[in-house]
Amino acid sequence: MDTVTNSSGGYRYIPGIPPYSAGVRAEDEQVIVRVALNKPTPWLEGFATIDSVLAAEGRPAQALCAVELRCPTPHSFGGFGSFNDDYRTALDERGILLADGINPVARTNVSPAYNGSATNKSGAGAGTELHAFSYTVARSTQSHLGEPQRPSFVVAGAGDLLDQADLRPEAIVGGETPWAESGPDRAAVVLDVMEARLSAMDLSWDDTDSVAVYSAERVGEVMESTILPRL
């Protein structure tokens, strides 16, 4: 797994699948800034916010490097594909997709298990909200972020799949096995993916300053037995 330079965006990315890349790392002279929206915003309207922020910063659309979405309910595998077509169109209209339609932008999709703010509506991606986004700026403008050469990166979210490119129910680790039995194996697979992506960007867990763990199941025991020892 090797990174590819996206010179127009100021970062390197790990090639992923058509909807998103597997992770991004800012070039040495750049740093990644994360913006979290302060109110629920439909994802496509959220792209107008992204456009405004980048324009105000004097950054091109290609500086967008990561997107975080909140979905009202988990997508079906088929519905996920339909949403991704619309999402890629939004990127393509902004000139963000690269040659051969390669998508350099990392992405994380989360469906809240309780009290999700997104409204469940019909249609591909209906009710999906933009939660946050990240983009690159010149490191010299962000000196308050700390050590000048601290690596700046985002790793895309990963699900408990045997192969992250195999978006089928059959690829889910553990299948129908209850969480109490399959939880550690599911978590271990995700950790394997995260570590491979960090390694591809010449990074390790020691370089991280924030790690988000998402699970609809009770994750406490798995945190203690599997996740925290690895981190």
Side-chain angles (χ1 to χ4, degrees):
M1 189 184 302
D2 296 317
T3 58
V4 179
T5 298
N6 178 14
S7 56
S8 59
Y11 63 89
R12 292 182 283 143
Y13 67 93
I14 304 170
I17 57 178
Y20 38 79
S21 72
V24 295
R25 176 174 177 172
E27 297 286 18
D28 290 343
E29 71 277 7
Q30 301 284 322
V31 69
I32 294 173
V33 174
R34 178 179 182 269
V35 177
L37 278 66
N38 60 12
K39 64 179 181 179
T41 304
W43 75 271
L44 195 52
E45 291 180 20
F47 265 82
T49 300
I50 294 173
D51 296 339
S52 297
V53 169
L54 293 179
E57 291 279 1
R59 297 293 291 149
Q62 292 77 16
L64 177 69
C65 62
V67 170
E68 299 171 46
L69 301 177
R70 293 293 181 267
C71 312
T73 57
H75 287 289
S76 66
F77 282 93
F80 191 55
S82 297
F83 170 75
N84 286 330
D85 289 341
D86 294 339
Y87 174 79
R88 281 178 54 85
T89 296
L91 295 179
D92 196 25
E93 290 173 346
R94 291 164 171 78
I96 295 173
L97 297 184
L98 305 177
D100 299 324
I102 294 173
N103 185 357
V105 179
R107 199 176 87 197
T108 296
N109 310 279
V110 177
S111 179
Y114 303 101
N115 299 321
S117 60
T119 302
N120 190 8
K121 301 176 181 178
S122 61
T128 296
E129 297 168 356
L130 178 67
H131 176 68
F133 63 95
S134 299
Y135 62 96
T136 59
V137 297
R139 189 178 285 272
S140 60
T141 68
Q142 302 292 319
S143 58
H144 64 281
L145 292 180
E147 193 66 28
Q149 292 306 311
R150 180 178 176 81
S152 188
F153 61 94
V154 177
V155 180
D160 46 358
L161 300 170
L162 293 169
D163 181 346
Q164 297 297 309
D166 188 3
L167 302 180
R168 300 179 302 126
E170 295 79 8
I172 298 175
V173 176
E176 299 298 322
T177 305
W179 169 258
E181 300 172 35
S182 65
D185 289 338
R186 291 171 182 254
V189 164
V190 175
L191 288 165
D192 287 343
V193 173
M194 294 292 101
E195 289 173 359
R197 292 175 178 178
L198 287 168
S199 178
M201 293 189 287
D202 299 317
L203 302 167
S204 70
W205 290 119
D206 289 339
D207 295 302
T208 64
D209 55 19
S210 177
V211 177
V213 179
Y214 301 101
S215 175
E217 306 288 349
R218 296 186 181 277
V219 75
E221 291 185 5
V222 174
M223 283 287 292
E224 294 181 6
S225 68
T226 309
I227 299 174
L228 291 179
R230 293 275 289 268
L231 268 60

